[in-house]
Amino acid sequence: MPGIDECLYEAMTLPGARGAAIVDWTSGLALGSVGDSPNGDYEATAAETAEVARAAAEYQAFAPVDDPDGVSGEEGTTRKGLPVEDLMLTTRSGFHLIRYVETTFDSSVFLYLWLDRHTGNLAMARIRLRSLAERLVLV
């Protein structure tokens, strides 16, 4: 089970990875970061991505009232946590991925990955971020 540093370094092994961070979306603070930042400022990037993550997690457009937590989901399983799993934003030069991390406590943490648009593999990055989020240990 990787901790914050191991998780970030593993994220950076993805083809096209330019930067990665683990961010608390309630405070907007980065718990850790590695690589480059899209605007050159890790703190500003953490705060800005936290705003996007918070909006997607809390707004009714992404979490409709008729789809509450605890309703049977795929294959008869019970869904827990946030109704949003991840976010993908594309720009002219890159891909930005946000993957929410579910924990045993009331987590408000997500993994953020910035990929180069020309060398990054969005599908592979999404799969690997899901795996990292499931294995991440926050203490």
Side-chain angles (χ1 to χ4, degrees), residues 77-106:
T77 61
T78 300
R79 292 186 304 250
K80 299 176 187 171
L82 295 170
V84 180
E85 294 177 355
D86 56 22
L87 303 171
M88 296 177 281
L89 295 125
T90 59
T91 63
R92 291 185 180 118
S93 62
F95 302 119
H96 303 265
L97 288 102
I98 293 173
R99 178 69 189 197
Y100 295 90
V101 177
E102 291 189 24
T103 61
T104 54
F105 57 92
D106 187 20

Side-chain angles (χ1 to χ4, degrees), residues 68-137:
D69 289 346
V71 174
S72 293
E74 296 175 9
E75 301 170 4
T77 61
T78 300
R79 292 186 304 250
K80 299 176 187 171
L82 295 170
V84 180
E85 294 177 355
D86 56 22
L87 303 171
M88 296 177 281
L89 295 125
T90 59
T91 63
R92 291 185 180 118
S93 62
F95 302 119
H96 303 265
L97 288 102
I98 293 173
R99 178 69 189 197
Y100 295 90
V101 177
E102 291 189 24
T103 61
T104 54
F105 57 92
D106 187 20
S107 178
S108 60
V109 174
F110 64 87
L111 287 166
Y112 167 74
L113 179 66
W114 177 33
L115 290 172
D116 180 85
R117 186 177 186 106
H118 302 291
T119 59
N121 182 325
L122 188 56
M124 183 190 326
R126 189 167 176 251
I127 290 167
R128 293 272 297 276
L129 276 186
R130 179 179 56 220
S131 174
L132 284 172
E134 290 171 354
R135 295 182 294 127
L136 177 63
V137 175

Side-chain angles (χ1 to χ4, degrees), residues 8-89:
L8 291 173
Y9 290 126
E10 190 172 333
M12 289 301 290
T13 65
L14 285 161
R18 299 194 59 193
I22 297 177
V23 179
D24 180 317
W25 54 273
T26 56
S27 68
L29 296 175
L31 304 177
S33 58
V34 65
D36 296 327
S37 174
N39 59 9
D41 182 352
Y42 290 113
E43 291 81 19
T45 298
E48 291 167 1
T49 56
E51 286 296 316
V52 173
R54 184 175 22 261
E58 294 176 350
Y59 287 170
Q60 293 279 328
F62 303 109
V65 175
D66 61 347
D67 189 24
D69 289 346
V71 174
S72 293
E74 296 175 9
E75 301 170 4
T77 61
T78 300
R79 292 186 304 250
K80 299 176 187 171
L82 295 170
V84 180
E85 294 177 355
D86 56 22
L87 303 171
M88 296 177 281
L89 295 125

